[in-house]
């Protein structure tokens, strides 16, 4: 596979005059191509440190920009704008406003860890993607992604009962994100199951979930986890100067 | 005695829910092969792929509790997890607890408050259901028990992401002959071949199905799954064999979604490798829960005269 490059020159900054004569010489067309100068003044020198203060971002400083992460990335293969190597570069350079141009797709990392497998510097780029997505949310640059809402729904259930039940998670998540549970394809899937297994239909859609799996004697563990999570969240907000 | 013949069993949440068929077929195959399972008492969820995004050390704690019960309350040496997510998380916890003082501190603190013994790295060995059969019995032993050879069944073996990545949490892999490979895993291929199946050359063994965003970014998941299904069909497979409830349900769900939302129909079937082994061992499709799968494998099995 080729190395996936990301040009630092934006297409809109490449200027070409269709008709241009300079000192009597015709330089129309590509002859006159030049790059509009761009001066970056809004560096955020704390950016790398802020990302490194969030879980997963700890090792961002190790990156030497080889590009193996982007080259192996599952999401990059679907969307070439998804470029972990480039974002790590921007973060290390403190180019916050450049990073923000891609703010709405960073959360799409599917945690496949192909990048972590390929990275020669143990940067753990998968973690850096998660840290960056959380940084965007904490700073208010993006609303909580659906992925974050799903993680939170899941974690709340684990903290509460020690176990999860898929139907309940799906219902909780759809409620949090304001989506209809009766999506065509979910219904179709349930129908296919119901042909052979009527019980499972109810289980999946949560209509018949009376029984809620739980770990016995979980409450102390759940409370200890919750206390720890709150402590960590306060620390992170402090590191990002949000207090 | 071979320590893999009797193991502590950590089924995980998915196997109590949508992947009931995987739980059932794993137990049936164990019985038929004389491999014993002793379920971890009062286990908890390992946090799947979600809790780590809220806090990775909480995930480490969740996994450590499961291993602590196996080691300290059941005296087990080996914990077997059939779910890639559970297997991966226990392995990751093992790695972090051995390497990172910060993780040890958090696990100690929560364990104490929760009132159980703190798990110490090295107390148990975590294995996958594939290791259990491969090391507990092996291909030769399996061959001797095959009553209904899978001859003529073309299988694409799909391992997903978390069985091999990231490699640093699997120190026992990539150690040469007889060990599992993280770039070209083959344990499932080996077992199904011993059961008579014809494994096709499948390039997407460790591709990602987008499981992390199966509901939060469904279009990406559907595209990734469709790649996998098409590649399996192009390789001539009748069946994709799976070894993880999340991978399995991801393929099944998005096969339906691809059809309903994108109008892309594929016909390859998904079966857990334990269902295929069960059939090879002479168990009925019902006994190994084939009727519980979304993708209906019964007709195919009949067609191949396996049921
Ligand atoms: S693979 Fe690692 S070192 Fe290379 S660019 Fe990506 S994060 Fe940096
Ligand atoms: S973990 Fe995320 S960033 Fe890394 S390869 Fe997978 S999708 Fe890309
Ligand atoms: S990874 Fe999945 S199956 Fe395993 S314990 Fe967690 S939620 Fe349950
Ligand atoms: S293949 Fe899919 S379900 Fe399986 S481990 Fe990867 S993302 Fe998860």
């Amino acid at each position: 596979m080729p190395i996936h490059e990301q040009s630092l020159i934006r297409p809109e900054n490449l200027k070409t005059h269709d008709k241009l004569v300079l000192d009597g010489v015709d330089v129309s067309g590509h002859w006159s191509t030049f790059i509009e100068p761009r001066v970056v003044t809004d560096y955020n020198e704390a950016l790398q440190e802020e990302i490194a203060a969030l879980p997963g971002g700890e090792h961002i400083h190790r990156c030497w920009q080889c590009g193996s992460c982007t080259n192996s990335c599952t999401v990059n293969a679907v969307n070439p704008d998804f470029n972990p190597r480039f974002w790590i570069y921007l973060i290390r350079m403190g180019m916050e406003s450049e990073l923000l141009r891609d703010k709405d797709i960073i959360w799409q990392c599917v945690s496949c860890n192909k990048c972590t497998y390929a990275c020669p510097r143990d940067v753990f780029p998968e973690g850096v993607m998660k840290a960056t997505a959380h940084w965007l949310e904490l700073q208010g640059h993006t609303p909580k992604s659906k992925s974050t809402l799903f993680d939170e729904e899941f974690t709340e259930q684990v903290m509460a009962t020690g176990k999860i039940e898929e139907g309940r998670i799906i219902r909780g998540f759809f409620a949090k994100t304001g989506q209809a549970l009766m999506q065509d394809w979910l219904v179709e899937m349930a129908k296919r199951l119901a042909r052979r297994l009527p019980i499972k239909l109810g289980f999946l859609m949560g209509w018949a979930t009376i029984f809620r799996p739980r770990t016995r004697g979980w409450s102390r563990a759940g409370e200890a986890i919750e206390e720890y999570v709150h402590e960590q969240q306060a620390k992170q907000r402090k590191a990002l100067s949000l207090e | 005695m071979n320590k893999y013949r009797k193991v502590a069993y950590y089924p995980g949440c998915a196997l109590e829910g949508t992947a009931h068929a995987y739980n059932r077929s794993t137990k049936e195959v164990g019985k038929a092969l004389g491999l014993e399972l002793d379920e971890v008492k009062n286990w908890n969820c390992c946090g799947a792929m979600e809790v780590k995004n809220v806090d990775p050390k909480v995930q480490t704690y969740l996994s450590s509790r499961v291993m602590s019960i196996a080691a300290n309350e059941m005296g087990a040496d080996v914990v077997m997890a059939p779910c890639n997510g559970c297997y991966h998380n226990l392995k990751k916890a093992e790695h972090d607890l051995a390497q990172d003082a910060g993780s040890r501190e958090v696990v100690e603190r929560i364990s104490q408050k929760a009132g159980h013994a703190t798990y110490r790295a090295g107390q148990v060995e975590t294995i996958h259901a594939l290791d259990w059969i491969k090391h507990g019995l092996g291909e030769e032993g399996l061959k001797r028990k095959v009553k209904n050879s899978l001859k003529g069944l073309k299988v694409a073996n799909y391992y997903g992401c978390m069985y091999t990545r990231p490699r640093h949490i699997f120190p026992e892999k990539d150690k040469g002959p007889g060990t599992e490979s993280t770039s070209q895993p083959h344990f499932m291929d080996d077992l199904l071949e011993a059961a008579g199946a014809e494994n096709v050359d499948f390039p997407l063994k460790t591709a990602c199905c987008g499981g992390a965003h199966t509901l939060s970014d469904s279009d990406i998941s559907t595209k990734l799954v469709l790649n996998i299904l098409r590649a399996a069909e192009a390789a001539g497979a009748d069946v994709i064999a799976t070894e993880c409830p999340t991978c399995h349900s991801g393929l099944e769900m998005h096969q339906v979604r691809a059809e309903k939302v994108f109008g892309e129909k594929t016909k390859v079937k998904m079966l857990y490798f334990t269902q295929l082994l069960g059939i090879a061992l002479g168990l009925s499709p019902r006994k190994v829960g084939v009727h519980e799968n979304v993708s209906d494998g019964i007709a195919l099995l009949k067609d191949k005269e396996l049921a």
Side-chain angles (χ1 to χ4, degrees), chain B residues 42-63:
Chain B
N42 194 29
W43 51 264
N44 56 277
C45 174
C46 70
M49 304 168 87
E50 281 76 16
V51 173
K52 77 158 189 26
N53 297 334
V54 173
D55 194 288
K57 291 194 174 75
V58 170
Q59 185 121 328
T60 306
Y61 164 73
L62 292 172
S63 301

Side-chain angles (χ1 to χ4, degrees), chain A residues 114-166:
Chain A
K114 290 201 169 185
C115 51
T116 310
Y117 190 99
C119 176
R121 294 280 294 162
D122 280 350
V123 172
F124 303 102
E126 183 269 344
V128 177
M129 292 307 106
K130 289 291 164 196
T132 307
H134 284 151
W135 180 86
L136 289 165
E137 292 172 0
L138 284 165
Q139 295 286 7
H141 293 305
T142 57
K144 280 186 184 175
S145 69
K146 282 190 192 172
S147 171
T148 300
L149 294 171
F150 192 84
D151 295 339
E152 290 180 353
E153 176 66 32
F154 193 104
T155 305
E156 277 165 26
Q157 288 200 23
V158 175
M159 286 198 292
T161 58
K163 287 190 183 178
I164 57 132
E165 188 272 292
E166 295 146 316

Side-chain angles (χ1 to χ4, degrees), chain A residues 107-109 112 117 124 126 134 147 151 162-163 166 189 192 196 200 215-216 220 227 231, chain B residues 18 42-43 45 50 52-53 109 113 165 167-168 182 213 217 253 257 259 291-294:
Chain A
W107 70 275
Q108 288 179 317
C109 162
C112 67
Y117 190 99
F124 303 102
E126 183 269 344
H134 284 151
S147 171
D151 295 339
K163 287 190 183 178
E166 295 146 316
M189 195 172 85
R192 288 188 192 187
R196 278 161 285 133
K200 232 184 163 183
T215 305
R216 289 187 309 280
R220 284 163 67 193
E227 181 192 71
E231 243 176 66
Chain B
T18 48
N42 194 29
W43 51 264
C45 174
E50 281 76 16
K52 77 158 189 26
N53 297 334
R109 166 181 159 179
K113 287 192 180 162
R165 286 190 297 270
R167 71 181 128 196
H168 68 271
T182 59
H213 293 327
D217 196 5
M253 273 169 72
R257 193 171 184 275
E259 197 181 319
H291 62 295
E292 296 179 30
N293 294 2
V294 175

Side-chain angles (χ1 to χ4, degrees), chain A residues 154 164, chain B residues 10-15 43-48 83 85-86 89 245-246:
Chain A
F154 193 104
I164 57 132
Chain B
Y10 176 42
C13 312
L15 271 74
W43 51 264
N44 56 277
C45 174
C46 70
C83 162
C86 303
N89 284 344
T246 325

Side-chain angles (χ1 to χ4, degrees), chain A residues 62-69 85 88 115 118-121 123 125:
Chain A
R62 293 177 181 164
C63 176
W64 62 19
Q65 289 291 303
C66 70
S68 301
C69 46
R85 197 269 318 150
I88 292 173
C115 51
C119 176
R121 294 280 294 162
V123 172

Side-chain angles (χ1 to χ4, degrees), chain A residues 110-112, chain B residues 49 84-85 158-163 165 206-212 228 243-248 250:
Chain A
V110 289
S111 293
C112 67
Chain B
M49 304 168 87
N84 275 353
Y158 178 59
Y159 298 81
C161 314
M162 294 201 284
Y163 176 70
R165 286 190 297 270
T206 65
C208 174
C209 75
I228 293 164
E243 42 82 289
C244 166
T246 325
C247 303
H248 184 95

Side-chain angles (χ1 to χ4, degrees), chain B residues 12-304:
Chain B
C13 312
L15 271 74
E16 282 197 336
T18 48
H20 178 253
Y22 191 24
N23 198 2
R24 178 172 177 164
S25 53
T26 300
K27 289 181 178 169
E28 289 295 341
V29 164
K31 248 192 254 164
L33 295 176
L35 298 172
E36 269 184 77
L37 293 174
D38 189 5
E39 186 161 330
V40 174
K41 294 185 178 60
N42 194 29
W43 51 264
N44 56 277
C45 174
C46 70
M49 304 168 87
E50 281 76 16
V51 173
K52 77 158 189 26
N53 297 334
V54 173
D55 194 288
K57 291 194 174 75
V58 170
Q59 185 121 328
T60 306
Y61 164 73
L62 292 172
S63 301
S64 85
R65 182 182 177 278
V66 174
M67 295 191 281
S68 169
I69 294 172
N72 301 315
E73 291 173 32
M74 300 166 64
D77 304 319
V78 180
V79 177
M80 184 276 266
C83 162
N84 275 353
C86 303
Y87 168 67
H88 172 279
N89 284 344
L90 266 54
K91 287 291 206 189
K92 167 106 181 8
E94 182 69 38
H95 172 272
D96 287 3
L97 288 172
Q99 306 292 332
D100 173 42
S103 300
R104 284 197 289 272
E105 208 175 288
V106 173
V107 165
E108 173 90 54
R109 166 181 159 179
I110 303 179
S111 301
Q112 270 180 12
K113 287 192 180 162
H116 60 79
T118 306
Y119 177 76
R120 314 255 169 240
Q123 280 190 287
V124 293
E125 175 186 354
T126 296
I127 61 168
H128 189 274
L130 289 168
D131 301 299
W132 176 54
I133 300 175
K134 175 105 175 164
H135 300 319
L137 187 67
E139 292 95 305
E140 290 312 312
L142 181 62
K143 267 187 203 160
R144 282 196 289 274
K145 304 214 174 205
V146 170
K147 296 193 183 118
N148 184 25
S149 166
L150 301 179
K151 202 156 172 285
L153 190 68
K154 294 195 176 153
V155 179
N157 290 273
Y158 178 59
Y159 298 81
C161 314
M162 294 201 284
Y163 176 70
T164 56
R165 286 190 297 270
R167 71 181 128 196
H168 68 271
I169 65 173
F170 305 112
E172 70 287 358
K173 292 185 177 158
D174 296 325
K175 289 284 184 291
T179 66
E180 184 57 299
S181 156
T182 59
S183 56
Q184 286 288 331
H186 53 82
F187 277 16
M188 185 160 48
D189 295 66
D190 298 347
L191 294 175
L192 291 173
E193 190 185 313
E198 188 186 323
N199 294 318
V200 302
D201 189 5
F202 181 47
L204 297 187
K205 280 181 168 185
T206 65
C208 174
C209 75
H213 293 327
T214 200
L215 291 171
S216 47
D217 196 5
S218 303
D219 283 353
I220 285 219
S221 300
T222 304
K223 275 184 204 154
L224 295 174
V225 167
L226 205 50
N227 283 342
I228 293 164
L229 301 176
R230 286 222 189 92
E233 289 188 347
D238 306 310
V239 171
I240 297 180
T242 57
E243 42 82 289
C244 166
T246 325
C247 303
H248 184 95
S249 61
L251 296 186
E252 287 193 324
M253 273 169 72
H254 289 281
Q255 183 175 44
V256 174
R257 193 171 184 275
E259 197 181 319
K260 287 301 278 183
V261 182
F262 296 164
E264 300 271 3
K265 200 169 155 83
T266 45
K267 58 184 212 311
V268 65
K269 306 294 176 203
M270 271 61 76
L271 287 167
Y272 290 107
F273 85 98
T274 43
Q275 292 180 315
L276 288 167
L277 288 184
I279 285 164
L281 295 169
L283 304 174
S284 72
R286 224 182 158 78
K287 194 131 205 178
V288 290
V290 176
H291 62 295
E292 296 179 30
N293 294 2
V294 175
S295 95
D296 187 357
I298 305 255
L300 171 73
L301 293 173
K302 284 201 175 131
D303 203 40
K304 298 274 170 186

